[in-house]
Amino acid sequence: MITLLQMPNDEVKNQQSEVAVSSLIETSQNQGISFLDFDTLLNMLDASYDSFSNCNASLGEVLTDTIEKKMEVEVDVQTIYEDILSEGSDKIPKLNREMHSRYIHEMLNRPLPAPFSKLDASKTWIAFWLMNSAALIDNLNTKEQNNAAKQLMYFYKTSSGSKNTVAGFGGGLHQLPHLAASYAAVLALLLSKNENAWREIDTQKVKKWLLQCKNKDGSFSMHVGGESDTRAAYCALCIAQLLNILDDDLRKGVADWLIKCQTYEGGFAGAPGDEAHGGYTFCALSALFILLNPDELMVSGLNLEILIKWTVDRQYSLEGGFSGRTNKLVDGCYSHWVGGTVALLELLINYNKYKINDPNKYLSLIDRQRLQNYILCCCQDTFGLRDKPGMNSDFYHTNYVLCGLSMCQHFQIYDPSKAQKYGNAFSAYPIEIEQPNTITILDDNHVLGIDAIFGVPYGYALNMYTFFSNL
């Protein structure tokens, strides 16, 4: 347990830190270094209003366990940043594609160790996380795609629901159809590009099952008789959109229910009256984007101003990464859940409020360089990516941290012609940021642009939707 006496807000330690930072700044100026990532990292060590461990930050709150843990994380992150800066601008870590790729493909191509048996109901998720991670760094291969498609269709065929007049995916063999498992399975299948597997999906049975999961108030339950939240609505709409079965019966009341989930803070909760959360906010806003075009969304009852404030407040100035809730710890996965929300909000304010559709003039809501610095400096394990320093890598964080890195490097551009031709869900496309004052993107760090709604490399989702539209 760290105590206040051990924190860098101790006067002596703080003075030493200030001297070290000042020395680094002077050195960079003398050497003529102006790299955005290096300069941003220097600024991240400066006094910040949201850093509990900084002497210039007010400690007017009771020292809860969460605040003490946040202090510990800040110290870990600050130490990492200072060590990197002391070595010079050319020592900022790059994305270790080779080691992360080895991790991803090793796990895709071998039986998982025995401890993973507790994730038996999450097999569709494991397939999606690993396949999407491989696709984001552009090295998903055909063998892996076909093997995954074959296994996923076993889950579909042995799901108890598929024996009746409805169908969905369970998380593993002989399991109940579940919206989260089905969402992950459909996304993994679209990554497989295996049209033979796609043809085996009885879309009308899936639609009947989705309607069984739909509630009278417009919400969806994760499974028949299960819990209702914004995740369920998002998963259901994604599945229906990709399989081309989204109709008025599935749409009815959903947008109104989602709007009720926006909280007084600005973010969205899992259900009306609950606490705002980064994951639920992404799910709610993405679901609204499937249902409504930007003009409709602006008059839907969404309080855009407080949503923007809550979202940008999730980025911590010292760490550079996002938290998922107010006063909670930074976590690499929110690079996607909050970062994906940022991308959609930027689309709204640039296209609707300021009528900007030129990426060279786009307004960025967050400091992308700070977030990229956090990802590259603090979220890389030897193999795979992780939540924060001191944590181990895992499939979940490897995928969503890479998704967040993609968001850092791309803006989402609204295309009305795509909306008219394919629907609202396919109206945005990513474009790499070329604004030199926004972010530095080295070739080694580059990942593919993702679909704003579905969180997969751009083009995969539209490919599946087009296939089912032509059946």
Side-chain angles (χ1 to χ4, degrees), residues 43 88 138 207 219 406 429:
N43 291 332
D138 202 19
K207 180 182 173 183
S219 66
S406 176
Y429 65 91

Side-chain angles (χ1 to χ4, degrees), residues 293 414-424 426-427 465:
N293 65 43
Y414 180 70
D415 186 343
S417 65
K418 290 183 183 294
Q420 185 175 11
K421 184 174 182 180
Y422 303 113
N424 300 323
F426 303 104
S427 61
Y465 169 75

